[in-house]
Amino acid sequence: MAAIQTDELTKYYGETRGIEDVSFAVEEGEVFGFLGPNGSGKTTLIRTLLGFQSPTGGGATMLGRDVTDEREMIEARREIGYLPAEPVFDENATGRRLLEYYGALRGDERSDELLDMFDPPLQRKIGGYSRGNKQMLGIVLAFMHDPNLILMDEPTSGLDPLKQERFVEFVGREHDRGKTVFLSSHILGEVQKMCERVGIIRAGRLVELENVETLLGRSGKFVRVRVADEIRVDDFAFPGVHDLTVGSGGTTDAGDRRGGETVTFTFTGEYNVLLDHLTGYDVLDVEIEEAPLEEVFMRFYGEAPPDEARGEPTGDSGDGPTGDSGDGPTDEPVDEQVEGGG
Ligand SMILES: Nc1ncnc2c1ncn2[C@@H]1O[C@H](COP(=O)(O)OP(=O)(O)OP(=O)(O)O)[C@@H](O)[C@H]1O
């Protein structure tokens, strides 16, 4: 059974497209990253999967339960953790109070362990928390009942670099424990470190679903060559050369002439062609390394779907019967209670 399965899942807010015809599956035990630029539909997808808003079309299951069936989702949420993009809590409550509240609702299997890694000032009122402290509290609350499936929306936002690193390592250990992790991000390096597979969403539509390794393979190699000779940019105008620069941060203008220089480019062509070409130079140094995932990502982003304009916001929230439940703790044992409206 897939941990998450969607079938042409669609959510419109009135006329505004949130997501459209999104179909994919996340297998149990997988760490899956969902990438997309601002406003592409990442949050919409997560909130629809959690049953916080009804789809306009298509369907989805989480741990085999229909996301539109409120009863099934209450059942499923015992095994699901959720970290919203910007956790919103009752500002007058202390972190400790919220921890106890969540523990009483859903169980506390591991808050001590989590608090060793992520340490918000529990004795203080949340109103005085920094963004990073709120995020750490959100992480502890999302994981404390030891869910089998965890959904996280931009999980490292607000964390300092040390905590971000700690979080990446923590997700690795959760993976080793067989947990299923679904996270949205637009930080590619982070996704590259954590995820086995990624979905790329653009203007509400899934434009790619691929193993990170395969994507990187397709992204080509980053090449930097230092030569004693002069380099004409035109000389490197052969198939597979992209984003060519000559000199230190030099220009790519055709015909630009510089002496004893470094040429850098991304290469997706035939290696023999490249190596043959380089024999024509007095090569002083050469580096060939994996192109960053950013490169692939930007190539996908270069092509806008024809109807992208429809993705513009109209302010119409148009939620279904299970719509947004608003801020702060409620009596309902659902994760939505920690989140604000968006
Ligand atoms: N409650 C809402 N009412 C109206 N439109 C909405 C609502 N929530 C999202 N949208 C619209 O749906 C589209 C997708 O937004 P969404 O928040 O899902 O994107 P995102 O990928 O999470 O963006 P970000 O990276 O900025 O968080 C956007 O056009 C957005 O304006």
Side-chain angles (χ1 to χ4, degrees), residues 135-154:
Q135 193 69 13
M136 287 196 288
L137 181 60
I139 291 171
V140 174
L141 297 179
F143 281 92
M144 67 188 277
H145 61 302
D146 202 18
N148 287 323
L149 167 62
I150 181 101
L151 284 81
M152 297 183 281
D153 201 350
E154 309 279 352

PDB file of all heavy atoms in Angstrom, residues 135-154:
ATOM      1  N   GLN A 135       9.390  27.261  15.086  1.00  0.00           N
ATOM      2  CA  GLN A 135       9.595  26.142  14.167  1.00  0.00           C
ATOM      3  C   GLN A 135      10.057  24.906  14.941  1.00  0.00           C
ATOM      4  O   GLN A 135       9.595  23.792  14.682  1.00  0.00           O
ATOM      5  CB  GLN A 135      10.638  26.536  13.103  1.00  0.00           C
ATOM      6  CG  GLN A 135      10.700  25.597  11.919  1.00  0.00           C
ATOM      7  CD  GLN A 135       9.458  25.667  11.034  1.00  0.00           C
ATOM      8  OE1 GLN A 135       8.638  26.578  11.160  1.00  0.00           O
ATOM      9  NE2 GLN A 135       9.295  24.680  10.172  1.00  0.00           N
ATOM     10  N   MET A 136      10.946  25.113  15.912  1.00  0.00           N
ATOM     11  CA  MET A 136      11.434  23.964  16.687  1.00  0.00           C
ATOM     12  C   MET A 136      10.301  23.349  17.495  1.00  0.00           C
ATOM     13  O   MET A 136      10.178  22.117  17.580  1.00  0.00           O
ATOM     14  CB  MET A 136      12.584  24.393  17.601  1.00  0.00           C
ATOM     15  CG  MET A 136      13.861  24.648  16.821  1.00  0.00           C
ATOM     16  SD  MET A 136      15.310  24.688  17.855  1.00  0.00           S
ATOM     17  CE  MET A 136      15.095  26.238  18.701  1.00  0.00           C
ATOM     18  N   LEU A 137       9.462  24.212  18.074  1.00  0.00           N
ATOM     19  CA  LEU A 137       8.315  23.675  18.821  1.00  0.00           C
ATOM     20  C   LEU A 137       7.408  22.888  17.865  1.00  0.00           C
ATOM     21  O   LEU A 137       6.933  21.793  18.195  1.00  0.00           O
ATOM     22  CB  LEU A 137       7.536  24.824  19.484  1.00  0.00           C
ATOM     23  CG  LEU A 137       6.326  24.416  20.311  1.00  0.00           C
ATOM     24  CD1 LEU A 137       6.722  23.497  21.469  1.00  0.00           C
ATOM     25  CD2 LEU A 137       5.585  25.645  20.848  1.00  0.00           C
ATOM     26  N   GLY A 138       7.201  23.442  16.663  1.00  0.00           N
ATOM     27  CA  GLY A 138       6.383  22.752  15.657  1.00  0.00           C
ATOM     28  C   GLY A 138       6.945  21.373  15.336  1.00  0.00           C
ATOM     29  O   GLY A 138       6.202  20.396  15.208  1.00  0.00           O
ATOM     30  N   ILE A 139       8.266  21.287  15.221  1.00  0.00           N
ATOM     31  CA  ILE A 139       8.901  19.997  14.904  1.00  0.00           C
ATOM     32  C   ILE A 139       8.652  18.999  16.045  1.00  0.00           C
ATOM     33  O   ILE A 139       8.262  17.850  15.815  1.00  0.00           O
ATOM     34  CB  ILE A 139      10.416  20.183  14.659  1.00  0.00           C
ATOM     35  CG1 ILE A 139      10.641  20.966  13.363  1.00  0.00           C
ATOM     36  CG2 ILE A 139      11.132  18.838  14.601  1.00  0.00           C
ATOM     37  CD1 ILE A 139      12.082  21.402  13.122  1.00  0.00           C
ATOM     38  N   VAL A 140       8.857  19.458  17.271  1.00  0.00           N
ATOM     39  CA  VAL A 140       8.660  18.565  18.425  1.00  0.00           C
ATOM     40  C   VAL A 140       7.196  18.081  18.468  1.00  0.00           C
ATOM     41  O   VAL A 140       6.927  16.880  18.623  1.00  0.00           O
ATOM     42  CB  VAL A 140       9.042  19.282  19.744  1.00  0.00           C
ATOM     43  CG1 VAL A 140       8.695  18.411  20.942  1.00  0.00           C
ATOM     44  CG2 VAL A 140      10.531  19.629  19.744  1.00  0.00           C
ATOM     45  N   LEU A 141       6.253  19.007  18.264  1.00  0.00           N
ATOM     46  CA  LEU A 141       4.836  18.620  18.320  1.00  0.00           C
ATOM     47  C   LEU A 141       4.470  17.669  17.174  1.00  0.00           C
ATOM     48  O   LEU A 141       3.664  16.764  17.346  1.00  0.00           O
ATOM     49  CB  LEU A 141       3.941  19.865  18.255  1.00  0.00           C
ATOM     50  CG  LEU A 141       4.078  20.862  19.413  1.00  0.00           C
ATOM     51  CD1 LEU A 141       3.146  22.051  19.209  1.00  0.00           C
ATOM     52  CD2 LEU A 141       3.800  20.194  20.759  1.00  0.00           C
ATOM     53  N   ALA A 142       5.084  17.889  16.021  1.00  0.00           N
ATOM     54  CA  ALA A 142       4.739  17.052  14.862  1.00  0.00           C
ATOM     55  C   ALA A 142       5.240  15.619  15.017  1.00  0.00           C
ATOM     56  O   ALA A 142       4.636  14.685  14.506  1.00  0.00           O
ATOM     57  CB  ALA A 142       5.318  17.673  13.591  1.00  0.00           C
ATOM     58  N   PHE A 143       6.363  15.470  15.717  1.00  0.00           N
ATOM     59  CA  PHE A 143       6.993  14.144  15.796  1.00  0.00           C
ATOM     60  C   PHE A 143       6.774  13.422  17.123  1.00  0.00           C
ATOM     61  O   PHE A 143       7.142  12.267  17.267  1.00  0.00           O
ATOM     62  CB  PHE A 143       8.504  14.260  15.556  1.00  0.00           C
ATOM     63  CG  PHE A 143       8.897  14.382  14.108  1.00  0.00           C
ATOM     64  CD1 PHE A 143       9.044  15.628  13.524  1.00  0.00           C
ATOM     65  CD2 PHE A 143       9.119  13.255  13.331  1.00  0.00           C
ATOM     66  CE1 PHE A 143       9.416  15.746  12.188  1.00  0.00           C
ATOM     67  CE2 PHE A 143       9.488  13.365  12.004  1.00  0.00           C
ATOM     68  CZ  PHE A 143       9.635  14.614  11.426  1.00  0.00           C
ATOM     69  N   MET A 144       6.219  14.115  18.137  1.00  0.00           N
ATOM     70  CA  MET A 144       6.253  13.534  19.488  1.00  0.00           C
ATOM     71  C   MET A 144       5.404  12.266  19.643  1.00  0.00           C
ATOM     72  O   MET A 144       5.695  11.442  20.504  1.00  0.00           O
ATOM     73  CB  MET A 144       5.889  14.595  20.547  1.00  0.00           C
ATOM     74  CG  MET A 144       4.476  15.081  20.490  1.00  0.00           C
ATOM     75  SD  MET A 144       4.247  16.480  21.618  1.00  0.00           S
ATOM     76  CE  MET A 144       3.976  15.640  23.152  1.00  0.00           C
ATOM     77  N   HIS A 145       4.394  12.086  18.790  1.00  0.00           N
ATOM     78  CA  HIS A 145       3.606  10.843  18.891  1.00  0.00           C
ATOM     79  C   HIS A 145       4.171   9.757  17.980  1.00  0.00           C
ATOM     80  O   HIS A 145       3.537   8.730  17.774  1.00  0.00           O
ATOM     81  CB  HIS A 145       2.118  11.116  18.617  1.00  0.00           C
ATOM     82  CG  HIS A 145       1.836  11.662  17.248  1.00  0.00           C
ATOM     83  ND1 HIS A 145       2.397  12.818  16.762  1.00  0.00           N
ATOM     84  CD2 HIS A 145       1.048  11.199  16.242  1.00  0.00           C
ATOM     85  CE1 HIS A 145       1.956  13.050  15.530  1.00  0.00           C
ATOM     86  NE2 HIS A 145       1.145  12.070  15.191  1.00  0.00           N
ATOM     87  N   ASP A 146       5.363  10.005  17.453  1.00  0.00           N
ATOM     88  CA  ASP A 146       6.085   9.040  16.627  1.00  0.00           C
ATOM     89  C   ASP A 146       5.250   8.547  15.440  1.00  0.00           C
ATOM     90  O   ASP A 146       5.020   7.340  15.284  1.00  0.00           O
ATOM     91  CB  ASP A 146       6.542   7.845  17.491  1.00  0.00           C
ATOM     92  CG  ASP A 146       7.705   7.117  16.837  1.00  0.00           C
ATOM     93  OD1 ASP A 146       8.362   7.704  15.945  1.00  0.00           O
ATOM     94  OD2 ASP A 146       7.955   5.961  17.216  1.00  0.00           O
ATOM     95  N   PRO A 147       4.823   9.497  14.587  1.00  0.00           N
ATOM     96  CA  PRO A 147       3.977   9.119  13.452  1.00  0.00           C
ATOM     97  C   PRO A 147       4.723   8.260  12.431  1.00  0.00           C
ATOM     98  O   PRO A 147       5.946   8.366  12.309  1.00  0.00           O
ATOM     99  CB  PRO A 147       3.611  10.477  12.841  1.00  0.00           C
ATOM    100  CG  PRO A 147       4.730  11.391  13.221  1.00  0.00           C
ATOM    101  CD  PRO A 147       5.171  10.933  14.585  1.00  0.00           C
ATOM    102  N   ASN A 148       3.962   7.446  11.705  1.00  0.00           N
ATOM    103  CA  ASN A 148       4.568   6.637  10.641  1.00  0.00           C
ATOM    104  C   ASN A 148       4.722   7.430   9.354  1.00  0.00           C
ATOM    105  O   ASN A 148       5.559   7.118   8.523  1.00  0.00           O
ATOM    106  CB  ASN A 148       3.718   5.399  10.378  1.00  0.00           C
ATOM    107  CG  ASN A 148       3.867   4.411  11.505  1.00  0.00           C
ATOM    108  OD1 ASN A 148       4.965   4.257  12.051  1.00  0.00           O
ATOM    109  ND2 ASN A 148       2.778   3.775  11.895  1.00  0.00           N
ATOM    110  N   LEU A 149       3.843   8.420   9.203  1.00  0.00           N
ATOM    111  CA  LEU A 149       3.882   9.267   8.004  1.00  0.00           C
ATOM    112  C   LEU A 149       3.918  10.717   8.461  1.00  0.00           C
ATOM    113  O   LEU A 149       3.108  11.125   9.306  1.00  0.00           O
ATOM    114  CB  LEU A 149       2.620   9.011   7.159  1.00  0.00           C
ATOM    115  CG  LEU A 149       2.325  10.004   6.030  1.00  0.00           C
ATOM    116  CD1 LEU A 149       3.430  10.005   4.981  1.00  0.00           C
ATOM    117  CD2 LEU A 149       0.977   9.649   5.363  1.00  0.00           C
ATOM    118  N   ILE A 150       4.857  11.471   7.952  1.00  0.00           N
ATOM    119  CA  ILE A 150       4.965  12.871   8.369  1.00  0.00           C
ATOM    120  C   ILE A 150       4.954  13.774   7.141  1.00  0.00           C
ATOM    121  O   ILE A 150       5.641  13.505   6.157  1.00  0.00           O
ATOM    122  CB  ILE A 150       6.227  13.095   9.238  1.00  0.00           C
ATOM    123  CG1 ILE A 150       6.363  14.540   9.712  1.00  0.00           C
ATOM    124  CG2 ILE A 150       7.494  12.680   8.535  1.00  0.00           C
ATOM    125  CD1 ILE A 150       5.933  14.733  11.123  1.00  0.00           C
ATOM    126  N   LEU A 151       4.113  14.810   7.199  1.00  0.00           N
ATOM    127  CA  LEU A 151       4.058  15.790   6.121  1.00  0.00           C
ATOM    128  C   LEU A 151       4.576  17.114   6.658  1.00  0.00           C
ATOM    129  O   LEU A 151       4.117  17.569   7.718  1.00  0.00           O
ATOM    130  CB  LEU A 151       2.625  15.985   5.605  1.00  0.00           C
ATOM    131  CG  LEU A 151       2.089  14.877   4.706  1.00  0.00           C
ATOM    132  CD1 LEU A 151       1.592  13.717   5.527  1.00  0.00           C
ATOM    133  CD2 LEU A 151       0.998  15.397   3.817  1.00  0.00           C
ATOM    134  N   MET A 152       5.505  17.703   5.931  1.00  0.00           N
ATOM    135  CA  MET A 152       6.095  18.945   6.419  1.00  0.00           C
ATOM    136  C   MET A 152       6.173  19.960   5.287  1.00  0.00           C
ATOM    137  O   MET A 152       6.602  19.639   4.186  1.00  0.00           O
ATOM    138  CB  MET A 152       7.505  18.674   6.960  1.00  0.00           C
ATOM    139  CG  MET A 152       7.492  17.732   8.142  1.00  0.00           C
ATOM    140  SD  MET A 152       9.130  17.470   8.835  1.00  0.00           S
ATOM    141  CE  MET A 152       9.819  16.296   7.704  1.00  0.00           C
ATOM    142  N   ASP A 153       5.742  21.167   5.603  1.00  0.00           N
ATOM    143  CA  ASP A 153       5.704  22.239   4.617  1.00  0.00           C
ATOM    144  C   ASP A 153       6.868  23.188   4.926  1.00  0.00           C
ATOM    145  O   ASP A 153       6.836  23.869   5.946  1.00  0.00           O
ATOM    146  CB  ASP A 153       4.349  22.962   4.742  1.00  0.00           C
ATOM    147  CG  ASP A 153       3.980  23.728   3.498  1.00  0.00           C
ATOM    148  OD1 ASP A 153       4.839  23.853   2.614  1.00  0.00           O
ATOM    149  OD2 ASP A 153       2.826  24.206   3.423  1.00  0.00           O
ATOM    150  N   GLU A 154       7.857  23.209   4.084  1.00  0.00           N
ATOM    151  CA  GLU A 154       9.044  24.055   4.291  1.00  0.00           C
ATOM    152  C   GLU A 154       9.614  23.870   5.704  1.00  0.00           C
ATOM    153  O   GLU A 154       9.703  24.830   6.481  1.00  0.00           O
ATOM    154  CB  GLU A 154       8.687  25.538   4.100  1.00  0.00           C
ATOM    155  CG  GLU A 154       7.965  25.862   2.825  1.00  0.00           C
ATOM    156  CD  GLU A 154       8.889  25.994   1.630  1.00  0.00           C
ATOM    157  OE1 GLU A 154      10.111  25.970   1.825  1.00  0.00           O
ATOM    158  OE2 GLU A 154       8.379  26.084   0.515  1.00  0.00           O
TER     159      GLU A 154
END
